[in-house]
Amino acid sequence: MLTGVRPTADLTVANYVGGVKPFLELQGKATRAFVFVADLHALPDHEPEVVKKYSRAVVLDYLALGLDPDVTTIYLQSAIGEALGLLTMLLARHLTVAELLRVPTLKDKVKGKPEHANAALFLYPVLMASDILIQRARRVPVGEDQVAHLELARRLARAFNEAYGSVFPVPAVHQMKTMRILSLKGEGKMSKSVPAGAVFLTDAAKTIAQKIQAAETATEGVMTPSLESHAALARELAPDAAAKAEIERIIDAHLAGKRVMGDFKALFTRFLTEFTAAFQERRADIARDARRVDDVLEAGARAARTGAEATL
Ligand code: AMP
Ligand code: TRP
């Protein structure tokens, strides 16, 4: 099993419940699990300094959230950059430019205005296929937005095998049960690009309280997409069954026409604050050992290199 994470920003609680938590549930079920920080995939649209900073931060975040380096190989994509570059070249000759232009994520960005599109962006899906195939991964857990990229990786695996013999397992998409958490502002999904509508794992308790206070509320008796999504988030973060039951009690009362949105916000704020505070404490604990991230990444790089060299 293998997946990659782009190191471009601090994580939000939506990243946690929509991406990290489902992966953690899979961790340990696979014989070998790989998670890498896709630093090369961040370069088409981010400055190198930003990528460097977040590459370390994301490893700390994941360790604090429960990713276990004894079970999962954690590495930087660029640590096997030479191998990936070579495989990308070998795979790209089995692909036409027309075919790449049909990849939906590239269609808008590249085809619409090729004069502004970074060529690194164009190679994004091929590099992603290399990430997967270089470790001969069988299962790739990703969100819905990545499924088209996975299809291309599968296509390339088949084309390569047809040409040269059975080299790559055709990787199966493991589409994670994704829950789309909406912005606190009521428009679109919770995303780091609208900080006021998002709760970051690094937010202070006071900031969270302010954001929830200012969040959209639902009229009594009415279930809105926003309330539904925030109730789902609250359920994911609830510390135990009693806490979950408390959410149901409030939602039922709301649907029965009672004025309980204040209660909901108070409970939601409490779950968010407790979760983020515990996260921040674990993260600070891990960060106290200045070598921890380097050690994890060095061990991960050794394992990733062994796999990559065997494939090449
Ligand atoms: P992004 O930060 O948009 O690159 O997303 C990274 C991963 O976090 C995605 O693959 C999703 O699994 C998850 N994610 C991001 N935003 C949300 C959201 N609003 N609701 C649920 N999951 C999300
Ligand atoms: N493109 C993925 C994203 O934006 C990150 C990624 C890069 C990835 N290489 C991968 C995910 C290989 C799974 C497998 O989220």
Side-chain angles (χ1 to χ4, degrees):
M1 180 168 90
L2 170 144
T3 197
V5 189
R6 291 210 317 155
T8 54
D10 288 321
L11 296 179
T12 67
V13 287
N15 290 135
Y16 170 68
V17 300
V20 184
K21 198 170 180 229
F23 182 81
L24 292 177
E25 282 157 13
L26 292 173
Q27 173 180 247
K29 286 195 192 139
T31 341
R32 295 169 69 216
F34 290 81
V35 175
F36 67 93
V37 178
D39 52 357
L40 299 175
H41 271 122
L43 288 177
D45 50 2
H46 291 83
E47 288 308 313
E49 298 73 38
V50 174
V51 176
K52 223 173 188 171
K53 173 183 153 207
Y54 284 116
S55 290
R56 295 183 60 81
V58 96
V59 174
L60 259 180
D61 289 344
Y62 271 68
L63 292 174
L65 290 172
L67 196 70
D68 179 356
D70 289 335
V71 177
T72 301
T73 298
I74 305 169
Y75 60 100
L76 281 187
Q77 183 184 30
S78 58
I80 55 164
E82 292 95 333
L84 290 172
L86 177 51
L87 186 56
T88 296
M89 233 20 225
L90 298 180
L91 293 175
R93 73 180 292 277
H94 293 273
L95 196 62
T96 65
V97 169
E99 212 176 344
L100 257 184
L101 281 174
R102 282 198 295 273
V103 174
T105 48
L106 294 187
K107 226 154 109 187
D108 321 329
K109 288 184 184 140
V110 179
K111 206 174 179 184
K113 35 184 167 103
E115 51 288 317
H116 298 301
N118 196 304
L121 193 65
F122 193 56
L123 286 175
Y124 191 110
V126 192
L127 178 61
M128 184 160 160
S130 298
D131 293 328
I132 297 163
L133 299 181
I134 201 120
Q135 303 296 356
R136 283 177 282 180
R138 290 172 191 279
R139 265 207 308 166
V140 185
V142 285
E144 192 195 355
D145 59 326
Q146 298 298 316
V147 171
H149 292 155
L150 254 292
E151 283 308 326
L152 191 76
R154 288 162 58 80
R155 221 264 313 116
L156 286 171
R158 284 197 210 96
F160 203 92
N161 290 346
E162 235 161 72
Y164 312 109
S166 172
V167 178
F168 299 118
V170 177
V173 186
H174 181 97
Q175 200 181 322
M176 292 189 290
K177 174 198 86 161
T178 38
M179 181 187 292
R180 197 161 168 270
I181 307 299
L182 300 181
S183 164
L184 299 172
K185 290 291 172 198
E187 295 258 304
K189 67 168 199 169
M190 183 179 287
S191 149
K192 66 227 167 199
S193 52
V194 185
V199 173
F200 289 87
L201 293 177
T202 47
D203 275 349
K206 214 176 90 196
T207 312
I208 295 175
Q210 283 163 355
K211 285 178 179 177
I212 302 303
Q213 206 49 49
E216 209 195 49
T217 33
T219 313
E220 293 85 63
V222 180
M223 181 50 91
T224 61
S226 161
L227 178 58
E228 196 166 301
S229 135
H230 298 141
L233 175 57
R235 274 182 212 110
E236 290 290 321
L237 299 179
D240 53 36
K244 270 200 185 114
E246 184 71 358
I247 302 167
E248 301 327 316
R249 199 188 56 71
I250 295 177
I251 297 297
D252 288 347
H254 171 76
L255 291 179
K258 303 230 167 63
R259 270 184 98 93
V260 289
M261 275 301 96
D263 296 347
F264 177 72
K265 283 191 173 185
L267 196 67
F268 192 29
T269 302
R270 178 156 75 76
F271 292 173
L272 285 164
T273 312
E274 284 172 2
F275 182 81
T276 51
F279 163 80
Q280 290 164 21
E281 207 171 294
R282 281 194 305 274
R283 194 182 193 277
D285 264 351
I286 299 168
R288 220 161 276 135
D289 176 356
R291 289 276 324 155
R292 178 71 176 148
V293 169
D294 299 298
D295 289 346
V296 166
L297 288 177
E298 274 166 30
R302 273 195 300 277
R305 232 171 262 139
T306 303
E309 277 162 15
T311 304
L312 284 183

